[in-house]
Amino acid sequence: AKLAAVLGSLCAGGFGAQAASADGAGAVLQEILVTATKRGDASTLDIPASISVADEDLISKRGMVGMDDLLRSLPSTNFLDRGAGRNGIIMRGVTASPQDDMAVGVYIDETPVTGMGSLGSGNPDLKYVDMQRIEVLRGPQGTLYGDGSIAGTVRVIPNAPDLSGFSAEIAGSSSSTADLGGQNNMVRGVLNLPVIEDKFAIRIVGYDYDNSGYYKNIAGDNATKKTWAEKYGGVVTSGEAGDDQYTGGRITAFWQVSEDFDVTLTHMTQDIDQSGIPESMLGLGGKNRAPFQRQDGSGESLKIDLDVTNLKINLDMGSYELFSSTSIVDSKSLQDRDLGAYFGPAVPLGPEEDPYSVTDDDMPIYLADSAQAEQFTQELRLSTRLDGPWQFLLGAFYQDYERTAHQKMTFEGTPATDPFAGELYFESTFGDNLKQLAFFGEASFDLTEQLTAVAGVRHYDYDKDSPDENDGVFNGGYSEGFVESDDTGQTYKLSLNYRPDETTSFYGTFAQGFRLGGPQSEVPSSICNDDKIPDQVASDELDSFEVGAKFAFADGRATLNVSAFQVDWTGIPVKVILDGRNPDDVCGYEAYINAGEAQSKGLEVDGKLLLTDALRLDYGLSYTQAELTEDSAELNAKSGDRLPGSPEFSASLGIQADFSMGGRPMFARADIAHIDEYYNNLQQSGLPAGDFTTINLSLGAEINDSVSVDIFARNLANKEGLTWIETELGDGRANYIRPRTIGIEVRAR
């Protein structure tokens, strides 16, 4: 009814094309300035690296609300979404464990939040509400962004308070997801308050996203699961799985102390509550899963609460600019899940002389994983705007990171059927404490009016320790430990950027990236074979060689960016599942080793084109060949095996029409994205993920000066694309993209 009323009022006004113009000379593509170089606003033509940018208009018209709405459509980029705070970003094939690797740095403005998702990995899944732009830098960013940006960096830039005037917006949407999905609802609001005109303003943002799950719990109707439930007194039910709710907000205060001095204080918060684990068990077919419930009737869940506070101070001294960013991040997460199908075969039920001669395929065993991470970071930068060919950037970075995690495994059947007669199964408390100090700098020199050279270096020094306390049958009894490590090193960058005119640039860049290593967590040597496990996981390093060209042509109506790269990656940290001390023992513990070397080579192309004054085309494609360059016995892999998690080929195409109907602005947009198949393991065993194409549509109209309406369809063809398939535990878990979702959004300003 809402849709019919809106369309009826629009059609009554007639239809006519509308072309944007610049001084009457016809439409041109608007240049987007970025701050990725940490030297203030810069054109992408001045950045000798591959970069993609989504501005506020594109975020709105594509209906982007999260990382998966953008990253999977960019060249050489993939995004694995496994639920609240459980995700992975892969760039240029740089990963060996897609579900665990943190190889891409993630920033909210100036605040690093890499790995602040669920259980100390993943990213916090911040919703894109009232964002100015998103900057995605491919390739290592070791000198400016340091640890964690070994494959690239993603920066999300919120809108700042507006000093000039009051504004407010409220929006709501309702949509429906096909297949096992249901109703989805959203409400968000933005309020801008200029408290003192041209001096002090506050911007307040709030939102709530309530999304239906599209997986189904069939445990209560599954004959096999009911058999195990009867044997152990387990609780089984049936119903939906994977519903989630995102509730968050942001308040920012901006004080223009003087023309040359400003201060910005921001606090943002987001809570995610997911009911049921959003994964299928492939052995059950489709998007089905069959978990036990706990004895009290509660079920599987994911939760993550994120709080970020940031203070920015900027002092412009003419030829010099001094900048400070101080951040505090707090993340709390919980994952509560049934793992009986995995641990059931590890429970010895046989006679004392041969206990593992009898096991069960399943039993009600729950594992609760909780973690709390706190991080303090301080960055100081001094940049120059000197007359002459030289420019400099000097910086210092300090990080204090503390994480405490707790795991507890419990039997969720009736006490009389407990194989261990009430003994503690497994409990572990462990921590990661990191202190890092780094100094970095870049110098640029104009060799000629068209040719600029940039050299950069970063020196890092860190200390890391990991205390732990363990108990329970699967831990081999009580133990405690304390391991620590430290390291120091440097990364370098050298680039040349040739600008023959204002619309063209050619560049070549050598850049290094790194990830901090750390101490190896101790495992019970009484049951696990840890003979070949090193005491310390070394920092891994990456050398990247990139050449590219960027063009703006056709009188500002077209852009084209082309880049070719080669990445050499050494000291790859890989998670392995340890064997038992004796052939009959079951260990199940994990450890990290530095195993193997790899190389990734590829080509990236992207750009924009105004076909007419009202019709715009966005395109991108990439080819990536990422593989091991030496045999790795630890990984059971050989030279030439493809690195997991990254498709060889990906492509995207977007077309957008801006026009008018009845004198009111409208737009229509279609986005198509395709990714090739890929495996989540080096051996390319099991089912592949990927190999799907998604189609998204949007139609928007301004009803009057205050109200606008968007109609949207996501995954229009309702493709069942797999984004991730579990390969380490081998228990058949997998994630699908969201089925077709169609809805309407209304905004009032």
Side-chain angles (χ1 to χ4, degrees):
K2 295 176 184 175
L3 180 59
V6 170
L7 292 179
S9 64
L10 290 172
C11 292
F15 178 90
Q18 175 181 301
S21 64
D23 298 328
V28 295
L29 290 169
Q30 181 180 0
E31 183 181 27
I32 303 172
L33 300 179
V34 298
T35 55
T37 61
K38 297 190 175 185
R39 295 185 181 186
D41 293 341
S43 167
T44 57
L45 288 169
D46 290 323
I47 299 177
S50 180
I51 180 171
S52 295
V53 186
D55 63 1
E56 189 171 9
D57 182 69
L58 186 62
I59 294 171
S60 174
K61 290 178 178 176
R62 281 186 55 175
M64 297 179 191
V65 295
M67 284 186 170
D68 56 335
D69 295 321
L70 172 65
L71 297 181
R72 208 177 287 132
S73 65
L74 298 180
S76 302
T77 307
N78 196 13
F79 182 77
L80 309 183
D81 186 3
R82 302 169 52 217
R86 302 165 70 235
N87 52 59
I89 306 171
I90 301 167
M91 290 187 184
R92 294 183 170 177
V94 180
T95 181
S97 302
Q99 54 264 46
D100 301 302
D101 266 353
M102 292 288 101
V104 175
V106 177
Y107 283 70
I108 303 173
D109 199 2
E110 293 287 341
T111 303
V113 292
T114 313
M116 299 297 285
S118 180
L119 310 179
S121 62
N123 298 295
D125 284 337
L126 185 74
K127 290 296 183 184
Y128 294 158
V129 178
D130 192 42
M131 294 296 169
Q132 183 184 83
R133 67 183 181 278
I134 305 163
E135 302 175 359
V136 180
L137 295 89
R138 290 180 289 274
Q141 308 295 322
T143 53
L144 289 182
Y145 292 93
D147 167 46
S149 291
I150 190 170
T153 301
V154 177
R155 299 183 68 229
V156 181
I157 316 296
N159 277 316
D162 184 358
L163 296 172
S164 62
F166 169 85
S167 64
E169 178 181 278
I170 187 168
S173 73
S174 181
S175 63
S176 179
T177 298
D179 301 338
L180 298 176
Q183 195 73 13
N184 317 294
N185 298 298
M186 177 276 292
V187 62
R188 68 173 187 265
V190 180
L191 181 65
N192 189 86
L193 297 170
V195 180
I196 303 174
E197 187 176 359
D198 298 329
K199 283 290 184 182
F200 185 75
I202 296 175
R203 194 174 186 91
I204 303 170
V205 177
Y207 57 87
D208 183 85
Y209 288 79
D210 194 352
N211 300 310
S212 64
Y214 48 93
Y215 297 89
K216 186 177 182 180
N217 174 12
I218 63 169
D221 303 311
N222 183 270
T224 303
K225 199 74 177 185
K226 288 195 291 185
T227 298
W228 295 119
E230 291 172 2
K231 178 174 181 178
Y232 290 104
V235 179
V236 291
T237 62
S238 294
E240 297 177 350
D243 296 359
D244 62 51
Q245 185 172 21
Y246 287 64
T247 304
R250 183 173 74 247
I251 181 169
T252 304
F254 178 69
W255 181 21
Q256 187 73 55
V257 182
S258 67
E259 183 178 351
D260 304 320
F261 183 39
D262 60 76
V263 179
T264 306
L265 178 62
T266 301
H267 178 75
M268 62 184 69
T269 183
Q270 180 176 271
D271 298 340
I272 310 174
D273 192 346
Q274 196 154 41
S275 176
I277 305 296
E279 296 171 347
S280 72
M281 305 297 290
L282 294 178
L284 299 174
K287 301 182 180 71
N288 294 319
R289 57 186 296 103
F292 283 106
Q293 305 294 102
R294 285 189 177 271
Q295 281 291 303
D296 62 8
S298 61
E300 296 181 314
S301 64
L302 286 169
K303 301 178 187 294
I304 177 170
D305 300 337
L306 177 74
D307 289 279
V308 179
T309 303
N310 175 246
L311 174 66
K312 296 189 298 183
I313 301 174
N314 191 66
L315 176 62
D316 189 340
M317 300 175 288
S319 298
Y320 299 91
E321 186 170 350
L322 182 63
F323 177 83
S324 168
S325 174
T326 308
S327 298
I328 298 174
V329 183
D330 183 88
S331 174
K332 301 180 181 69
S333 61
L334 170 67
Q335 175 183 272
D336 199 16
R337 67 181 305 151
D338 165 35
L339 283 181
Y342 174 71
F343 281 100
V347 177
L349 302 174
E352 184 176 351
E353 61 273 13
D354 192 8
Y356 285 98
S357 63
V358 179
T359 61
D360 274 345
D361 292 335
D362 200 356
M363 58 177 56
I365 298 176
Y366 255 72
L367 180 65
D369 277 301
S370 60
Q372 179 172 356
E374 297 179 355
Q375 176 179 266
F376 170 83
T377 56
Q378 173 65 56
E379 183 161 306
L380 291 171
R381 300 196 298 264
L382 178 68
S383 58
T384 64
R385 289 191 298 269
L386 303 174
D387 294 330
W390 285 101
Q391 301 296 338
F392 299 94
L393 170 69
L394 299 174
F397 174 80
Y398 175 75
Q399 178 186 27
D400 187 347
Y401 172 85
E402 296 180 356
R403 181 174 76 98
T404 301
H406 181 257
Q407 294 181 308
K408 187 171 184 179
M409 184 184 294
T410 55
F411 179 73
E412 293 296 330
T414 56
T417 63
D418 185 351
F420 294 110
E423 288 189 66
L424 177 65
Y425 274 41
F426 174 93
E427 187 169 18
S428 181
T429 301
F430 52 95
D432 289 309
N433 303 308
L434 167 70
K435 286 183 171 58
Q436 180 188 183
L437 179 63
F439 299 96
F440 60 93
E442 284 191 356
S444 65
F445 180 71
D446 294 331
L447 299 170
T448 69
E449 290 185 0
Q450 292 83 29
L451 184 62
T452 300
V454 178
V457 62
R458 187 184 189 98
H459 172 83
Y460 64 89
D461 193 331
Y462 78 88
D463 295 284
K464 193 173 184 179
D465 64 69
S466 298
D468 64 89
E469 186 176 5
N470 314 283
D471 201 358
V473 175
F474 285 112
N475 268 318
Y478 180 82
S479 67
E480 60 181 23
F482 181 86
V483 290
E484 57 184 336
S485 67
D486 59 79
D487 198 6
T488 184
Q490 294 82 32
T491 56
Y492 301 94
K493 180 173 76 173
L494 179 64
S495 65
L496 291 172
N497 194 31
Y498 177 59
R499 294 287 306 272
D501 54 52
E502 292 297 318
T503 62
T504 306
S505 71
F506 301 92
Y507 68 88
T509 295
F510 166 76
Q512 293 181 309
F514 70 99
R515 277 185 302 182
L516 298 180
Q520 184 76 258
S521 298
E522 294 184 343
V523 299
S525 58
S526 60
I527 61 174
C528 292
N529 185 3
D530 60 350
D531 295 342
K532 297 182 180 179
I533 302 303
D535 295 332
Q536 178 170 327
V537 183
S539 301
D540 57 320
E541 298 178 348
L542 182 149
D543 293 338
S544 171
F545 304 87
E546 179 179 336
V547 293
K550 303 178 183 182
F551 307 95
F553 53 95
D555 296 324
R557 298 171 66 88
T559 64
L560 171 65
N561 306 310
V562 181
S563 59
F565 63 87
Q566 176 176 309
V567 169
D568 295 317
W569 186 19
T570 59
I572 303 172
V574 179
K575 184 169 69 175
V576 295
I577 308 297
L578 299 179
D579 296 326
R581 174 63 64 181
N582 299 309
D584 293 334
D585 290 343
V586 177
C587 173
Y589 274 81
E590 300 170 343
Y592 281 89
I593 58 175
N594 295 96
E597 299 180 359
Q599 186 178 86
S600 177
K601 297 181 290 187
L603 179 69
E604 301 162 347
V605 179
D606 70 302
K608 300 176 177 62
L609 175 64
L610 280 178
L611 299 172
T612 70
D613 284 353
L615 196 61
R616 163 181 161 175
L617 188 71
D618 303 295
Y619 59 91
L621 59 91
S622 62
Y623 174 79
T624 304
Q625 184 181 28
E627 57 189 34
L628 288 180
T629 55
E630 67 174 25
D631 296 348
S632 175
E634 295 87 353
L635 298 175
N636 189 28
K638 296 183 178 181
S639 178
D641 286 350
R642 277 179 56 192
L643 294 180
S646 183
E648 281 192 335
F649 177 77
S650 66
S652 64
L653 181 68
I655 186 165
Q656 178 177 312
D658 294 281
F659 52 92
S660 67
M661 182 180 288
R664 307 304 308 179
M666 291 188 67
F667 79 90
R669 183 175 178 93
D671 286 281
I672 303 172
H674 172 78
I675 62 172
D676 262 354
E677 73 174 23
Y678 55 90
Y679 287 83
N680 277 24
N681 59 82
L682 281 160
Q683 297 76 31
Q684 300 188 42
S685 60
L687 291 174
D691 193 21
F692 58 83
T693 302
T694 56
I695 303 173
N696 298 334
L697 301 178
S698 299
L699 174 66
E702 293 188 13
I703 306 303
N704 55 43
D705 291 341
S706 301
V707 178
S708 60
V709 176
D710 288 359
I711 303 162
F712 58 87
R714 305 286 179 259
N715 190 11
L716 182 67
N718 202 26
K719 291 293 185 181
E720 284 197 341
L722 282 165
T723 67
W724 174 81
I725 300 173
E726 207 290 325
T727 58
E728 291 179 350
L729 300 181
D731 55 1
R733 290 177 286 140
N735 291 87
Y736 287 87
I737 60 174
R738 178 171 282 273
R740 179 175 53 239
T741 299
I742 298 176
I744 185 169
E745 178 177 316
V746 180
R747 295 183 297 275
R749 295 184 297 278

